[in-house]
């Protein structure tokens, strides 16, 4: 037999009618087995040792050996960046980022100049890898010399410009070798 529904009362309470306190309590148990490697959990001495380890061994875990997700720079380049990063993995990451930003800017510039989409695959060209390392060495030395003479220099811009020039000169020479 059909009956009409009761429409009295507050409409928002109806859907919570059968909920108990247990249904609404939040889980307050904290998983104590979770690993937390944030720097706040380590002393300055331990952080310094960790950073030294990361920087000293960066060429082993960052360099591409056919493994996906690795950085396509030769071990010598990573060792050089490690040496100039003052045991700071963030500085290493920043310098590597500058190299790849310069590569991308060079590819964009070359594409605009040639009208053809251009991608430079670092894994494929040992001569380019060597050029990057030599250019970085020259750039680090020039930056240090300028800073020692109290001359103003923006290291990030200097590295970016040197790397961009390295990619563009290499690509120009590469195209000439093809013809």
């Amino acid at each position: 037999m059909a009956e009409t529904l009761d429409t009295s009362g507050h409409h928002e309470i109806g859907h919570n009618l059968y909920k108990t306190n247990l249904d609404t309590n939040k889980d307050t148990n904290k998983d104590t087995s979770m690993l937390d490697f944030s720097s706040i959990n380590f002393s300055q001495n331990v952080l310094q040792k960790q950073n030294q380890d990361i920087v000293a061994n960066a060429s082993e875990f960052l360099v591409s050996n056919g493994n996906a997700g690795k950085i396509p720079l030769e071990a010598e380049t990573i060792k050089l960046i490690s040496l100039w990063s003052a045991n700071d993995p963030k500085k290493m990451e920043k310098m590597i980022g500058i190299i790849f930003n310069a590569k991308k800017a060079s590819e964009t510039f070359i594409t605009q100049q040639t009208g053809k989409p251009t991608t430079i695959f670092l894994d494929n060209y040992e001569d380019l890898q060597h050029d990057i390392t030599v250019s970085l060495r020259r750039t680090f030395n020039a930056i240090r010399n300028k800073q020692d003479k109290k001359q103003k220099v923006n290291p990030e811009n200097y590295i970016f410009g040197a790397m961009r020039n390295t990619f563009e000169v290499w690509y120009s020479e590469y195209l000439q070798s093809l013809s």
Side-chain angles (χ1 to χ4, degrees), residues 4-98:
T4 60
L5 293 176
D6 181 15
T7 57
S8 65
H10 198 275
H11 70 282
E12 291 179 8
I13 295 176
H15 70 282
N16 289 328
L17 189 60
Y18 300 106
K19 270 194 173 177
T20 66
N21 277 345
L22 292 177
D23 293 333
T24 58
N25 282 346
K26 296 209 182 251
D27 183 14
T28 56
N29 294 333
K30 186 174 182 179
D31 187 357
T32 57
S33 65
M34 290 291 290
L35 296 175
D36 184 359
F37 294 122
S38 63
S39 57
I40 62 171
N41 293 321
F42 299 97
S43 69
Q44 286 297 48
N45 188 33
V46 171
L47 282 173
Q48 184 178 5
K49 287 179 183 179
Q50 289 171 341
N51 287 344
Q52 286 172 341
D53 178 69
I54 289 170
V55 171
N57 296 295
S59 63
E60 291 181 34
F61 68 85
L62 287 179
V63 176
S64 177
N65 300 1
N67 299 328
K70 300 290 183 173
I71 294 175
L73 293 172
E74 68 180 1
E76 184 70 19
T77 303
I78 299 298
K79 286 178 186 175
L80 181 63
I81 292 169
S82 295
L83 187 63
W84 287 84
S85 68
N87 287 324
D88 187 345
K90 290 180 182 175
K91 286 182 182 177
M92 279 189 68
E93 184 179 330
K94 187 169 203 144
M95 283 190 258
I96 292 168
I98 290 169

Side-chain angles (χ1 to χ4, degrees), residues 36-179:
D36 184 359
F37 294 122
S38 63
S39 57
I40 62 171
N41 293 321
F42 299 97
S43 69
Q44 286 297 48
N45 188 33
V46 171
L47 282 173
Q48 184 178 5
K49 287 179 183 179
Q50 289 171 341
N51 287 344
Q52 286 172 341
D53 178 69
I54 289 170
V55 171
N57 296 295
S59 63
E60 291 181 34
F61 68 85
L62 287 179
V63 176
S64 177
N65 300 1
N67 299 328
K70 300 290 183 173
I71 294 175
L73 293 172
E74 68 180 1
E76 184 70 19
T77 303
I78 299 298
K79 286 178 186 175
L80 181 63
I81 292 169
S82 295
L83 187 63
W84 287 84
S85 68
N87 287 324
D88 187 345
K90 290 180 182 175
K91 286 182 182 177
M92 279 189 68
E93 184 179 330
K94 187 169 203 144
M95 283 190 258
I96 292 168
I98 290 169
I99 293 169
F100 286 106
N101 287 339
K103 176 184 167 290
K104 184 176 175 96
S106 296
E107 290 169 342
T108 301
F109 176 75
I110 293 166
T111 297
Q112 291 170 347
Q113 296 298 308
T114 63
K116 297 176 187 173
T118 303
T119 302
I120 299 171
F121 294 101
L122 296 177
D123 288 340
N124 298 345
Y125 305 102
E126 287 182 30
D127 56 332
L128 175 58
Q129 292 282 347
H130 177 73
D131 290 351
I132 291 168
T133 304
V134 169
S135 181
L136 271 177
R137 214 171 250 125
R138 187 181 308 119
T139 303
F140 291 150
N141 185 49
I143 291 169
R144 180 173 55 193
N145 287 337
K146 287 181 180 291
Q147 289 177 336
D148 285 349
K149 293 175 186 173
K150 306 292 185 220
Q151 296 176 352
K152 282 209 169 229
V153 62
N154 182 326
E156 294 173 21
N157 288 346
Y158 213 90
I159 295 168
F160 179 86
M163 288 295 99
R164 184 167 174 187
N165 186 55
T166 299
F167 287 116
E168 291 170 12
V169 167
W170 175 86
Y171 191 78
S172 176
E173 291 170 357
Y174 171 76
L175 285 181
Q176 288 177 354
S177 74
L178 294 178
S179 50

